Amino acid sequence: MNQGIKAISPGLQLTSGGQLKHFLTIDGLGRDLLTEILDTADSFIEVGERRIKKVPLLRGRTVVNLFFEPSTRTRSTFELAAKRLSADVLNLDISKSATSKGESLSDTLLNLEAMASDMFVVRHAQSGAAHFIARSVTPGVAIINAGDGRHAHPTQAMLDMLTIRQHKERFEGLRVAIVGDILHSRVARSQVNALLTLGAEEVRLVGPATLMPAAANQLGVKLCTTMEEGLAETDVIIMLRLQKERMESGLLPSEREFFKLYGLTREKLALAKPDAIVMHPGPINRGVEIESAVADGPQSVILSQVTNGIALRMAVMSMAMSGQLAERAAAQHGGAA
């Protein structure tokens, strides 16, 4: 996991009153705020079941999806979330944008801000990109991190927490195994932070030593190199995607060998508790990380994760905009005084 991003000051993503104004990382956020995000997401789930799936919380606001990396699931759920909050949504095609023609990121942002944008949803290959943008934009513009390098993917982690809470009701006493390519996973670090903050009893990172980050033993988790040790008596199993596009040669003998040792099969699933749930942030490599009988089986909640992604992102976007408005009001009040 990337250790190059220093802990950010709470003032960067929180207002002076402790409200969310950006959502960049779970590092440094307290249990009460994470629980508020989950509770708010819970309240938005029924919006997706309405005939007209909209609430007016972001009416008149403009949300720009800035995806510098390819994405289908994350970008789609952010777009749907913004539209269900009644925002105007601009999806910037980076492959045809000015940045591909040499314009700097800062100049691109200045131009988008000049179009009266209220929120940027940012995915970028460089760790820290969302933090850089949050420090650069005009006050009042909210930044949501949709995944930066190997660093963080906070909304994915929180939709995973929402799914776990739906099925297990609480985090206290839970043993959670996160399995696979920990080294390249920005999701894993955010999941660990969220699980430990919310009170999980034990978090295990399971995978070959070559796919385990050097600083993993500083995260307050248990490291396991075998599925037998990692899955025993677990309540939740989170399988990770093997990120071959980020992988250097030599980290794996072969995908076949990886599946034999770390792929989740019905036999390995039996090591966990009988009511354990199986999760995967997607996209799934069937037969590499997980066999189809498990991915589509009765203990899988993978599609629930996708559904919850919309409600969770609605919660984060509405809370960040509310925080920005509160800070703007406080600044105006302070200026008037």
Side-chain angles (χ1 to χ4, degrees), residues 73-305:
R73 193 187 332 263
T74 301
R75 178 169 160 168
S76 299
T77 51
F78 265 114
E79 182 175 352
L80 276 175
K83 289 180 174 176
R84 288 185 183 179
L85 291 167
S86 302
D88 298 317
V89 181
L90 174 62
N91 292 310
L92 198 65
D93 189 340
I94 299 299
S95 65
K96 298 176 182 175
S97 74
T99 52
S100 68
K101 301 172 185 173
E103 185 177 73
S104 72
L105 178 57
S106 295
D107 283 339
T108 298
L109 291 171
L110 286 173
N111 280 279
L112 291 169
E113 282 188 46
M115 300 175 197
S117 302
D118 298 287
M119 180 179 294
F120 295 134
V121 178
V122 181
R123 168 171 284 196
H124 202 286
Q126 295 299 318
S127 299
H131 298 67
F132 169 78
I133 293 172
R135 289 189 175 98
S136 305
V137 293
T138 302
V141 178
I143 306 301
I144 310 296
N145 185 2
D148 62 326
R150 297 185 192 178
H151 174 237
H153 197 348
T155 60
Q156 176 66 49
M158 288 305 294
L159 74 87
D160 295 338
M161 299 306 109
L162 182 62
T163 307
I164 291 171
R165 195 174 75 165
Q166 285 174 343
H167 289 270
K168 298 297 179 184
E169 297 185 353
R170 57 191 178 86
F171 293 91
E172 292 84 355
L174 290 184
R175 294 191 184 100
V176 182
I178 303 173
V179 183
D181 185 1
I182 312 290
L183 178 64
H184 300 98
S185 176
R186 54 192 167 206
V187 178
R189 177 172 174 153
S190 294
Q191 289 168 336
V192 168
N193 286 329
L195 285 164
L196 295 179
T197 301
L198 289 166
E201 179 178 315
E202 184 177 73
V203 180
R204 303 173 187 171
L205 299 182
V206 187
T210 52
L211 294 182
M212 201 69 75
N217 58 1
Q218 299 173 16
L219 297 174
V221 300
K222 180 179 179 180
L223 305 182
C224 305
T225 55
T226 68
M227 292 290 264
E228 288 73 17
E229 181 186 16
L231 301 191
E233 293 298 309
T234 49
D235 303 277
V236 179
I237 303 170
I238 304 175
M239 301 302 296
L240 298 175
R241 183 173 71 87
L242 206 58
Q243 299 191 39
K244 292 176 281 189
E245 73 278 12
R246 300 177 190 273
M247 201 170 288
E248 299 171 1
S249 62
L251 292 180
L252 285 178
S254 69
E255 290 182 1
R256 185 175 179 180
E257 183 73 6
F258 179 83
F259 179 69
K260 179 181 177 182
L261 295 174
Y262 297 101
L264 189 60
T265 61
R266 284 168 291 185
E267 291 74 20
K268 295 193 186 93
L269 179 57
L271 297 166
K273 290 182 179 177
D275 64 346
I277 58 173
V278 175
M279 308 174 70
H280 193 302
I284 298 172
N285 292 314
R286 292 173 183 260
V288 177
E289 299 133 13
I290 187 169
E291 70 174 7
S292 290
V294 176
D296 304 326
Q299 290 171 261
S300 170
V301 297
I302 294 171
L303 292 180
S304 294
Q305 291 175 262

